């Protein structure tokens, strides 16, 4: 079921499965639902780079995203007027912080880069960053968003073994209270267009490379 408000100033949250969707819904209680919608992805998106229009038309997941956003395969969205037809002004990806989550983010980016690059150039897509590890000791709390920072903290903290450590295997590991923290802080990765974008996306998703 797609939960949304029809507003091209809002943000559609694409989540990695239903557990992440439940997390997003819990977090939305902090920011309100007027400008946020949520849609759960079922597995990994099709690599659309070399797909035919017939294949795209038959792919339920692609069609669901297209319908949710009000996208048109024939439109390039190079003008403000054309973008007014969209049901949302941004896409936010909520995926696990592991390699599978990164792959899902990449496949979403690949879809827009292949079919609607003009939207990517406008910072249309971003992703929420959630902790991989959280350590607590009394009222002290430290969240780490990559393992490198966590291991550096261990090296600098002589009593690290006295801290309580929580590893997040996925978004489903987070509880409702943590979901609200994520939406309150809204830590984001913004995918900004650069001179290397075309080359990077082609290298990652062109099967001939």
């Amino acid at each position: 079921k797609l939960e949304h408000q029809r507003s091209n100033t809002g943000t559609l949250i694409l989540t990695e499965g239903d557990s992440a969707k439940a997390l997003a819904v819990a977090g939305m209680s902090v920011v309100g639902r007027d400008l946020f919608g949520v849609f759960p992805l079922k597995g990994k998106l099709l690599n659309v780079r070399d797909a035919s229009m017939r294949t795209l038309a038959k792919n339920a997941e692609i069609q669901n995203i297209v319908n949710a956003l009000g996208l048109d395969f024939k439109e390039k969205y190079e003008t403000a007027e054309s973008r007014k037809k969209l049901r949302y002004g941004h896409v936010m990806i909520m995926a696990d912080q592991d390699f599978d989550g990164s792959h899902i983010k990449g496949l979403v980016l690949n879809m827009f880069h292949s079919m609607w690059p003009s939207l990517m150039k406008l910072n249309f897509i971003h992703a929420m960053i959630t902790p991989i590890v959280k350590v607590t000791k009394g009222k002290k709390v430290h969240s780490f968003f990559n393992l490198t920072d966590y291991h550096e903290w261990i090296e600098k903290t002589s009593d690290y073994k006295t801290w309580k450590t929580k590893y997040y295997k996925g978004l489903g590991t987070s509880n409702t209270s943590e979901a609200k923290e994520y939406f309150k802080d809204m830590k984001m990765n913004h995918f900004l267009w650069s001179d290397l974008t075309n080359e990077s996306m082609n290298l990652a998703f062109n099967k001939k490379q």
Side-chain angles (χ1 to χ4, degrees):
K1 181 182 177 182
L2 174 66
E3 300 179 19
H4 69 92
Q5 295 290 329
R6 296 191 180 191
S7 170
N8 64 3
T9 60
T11 297
L12 179 64
I13 305 170
L14 298 179
T15 66
E16 182 181 347
D18 288 328
S19 60
K21 176 197 168 184
L23 192 75
V25 171
M28 283 162 58
S29 65
V30 175
V31 294
R33 295 192 179 190
D34 290 343
L35 294 177
F36 286 90
V38 58
F39 182 78
L41 299 173
K42 297 177 181 178
K44 294 183 178 180
L45 283 182
L46 172 73
N47 180 350
V48 304
R49 189 153 296 264
D50 300 313
S52 66
M53 287 304 298
R54 185 176 181 181
T55 300
L56 295 175
K58 289 183 177 180
N59 187 280
E61 196 76 340
I62 298 294
Q63 287 298 322
N64 285 337
I65 294 173
V66 167
N67 292 336
L69 289 166
L71 289 163
D72 186 336
F73 289 117
K74 298 178 182 179
E75 182 62 69
K76 295 183 178 180
Y77 300 106
E78 293 176 340
T79 65
E81 192 63 29
S82 64
R83 292 191 293 273
K84 287 181 180 179
K85 299 175 184 178
L86 295 173
R87 299 171 77 180
Y88 293 89
H90 292 280
V91 165
M92 185 177 85
I93 308 167
M94 279 191 73
D96 294 346
Q97 297 295 100
D98 58 10
F99 291 116
D100 277 341
S102 294
H103 193 197
I104 288 170
K105 294 171 192 174
L107 287 166
V108 173
L109 290 170
N110 178 58
M111 182 181 76
F112 282 92
H113 181 260
S114 298
M115 295 186 285
W116 304 287
S118 295
L119 293 176
M120 277 191 71
K121 292 177 181 179
L122 294 170
N123 190 28
F124 186 74
I125 307 168
H126 44 271
M128 179 176 282
I129 308 170
T130 55
I132 293 178
V133 182
K134 182 185 286 186
V135 296
T136 57
K137 186 177 182 180
K139 294 183 178 180
K140 295 180 180 179
V141 180
H142 295 303
S143 296
F144 301 94
F145 299 88
N146 60 74
L147 291 176
T148 301
D149 289 347
Y150 172 58
H151 291 143
E152 287 180 357
W153 176 82
I154 287 177
E155 291 177 2
K156 296 176 182 178
T157 308
S158 58
D159 66 341
Y160 72 91
K161 290 185 178 180
T162 65
W163 291 68
K164 183 179 179 181
T165 303
K166 179 177 180 179
Y167 290 90
Y168 294 83
K169 294 181 180 180
L171 288 170
T173 312
S174 301
N175 56 41
T176 300
S177 176
E178 288 169 328
K180 292 179 180 180
E181 289 178 15
Y182 301 157
F183 275 77
K184 183 179 178 180
D185 295 339
M186 282 283 188
K187 295 184 184 295
M188 295 289 174
N189 265 338
H190 295 277
F191 302 107
L192 305 179
W193 191 276
S194 77
D195 293 338
L196 296 175
T197 297
N198 289 331
E199 179 183 349
S200 299
M201 295 301 295
N202 195 48
L203 182 62
F205 294 104
N206 186 336
K207 296 176 183 178
K208 297 177 182 178
Q209 292 287 324

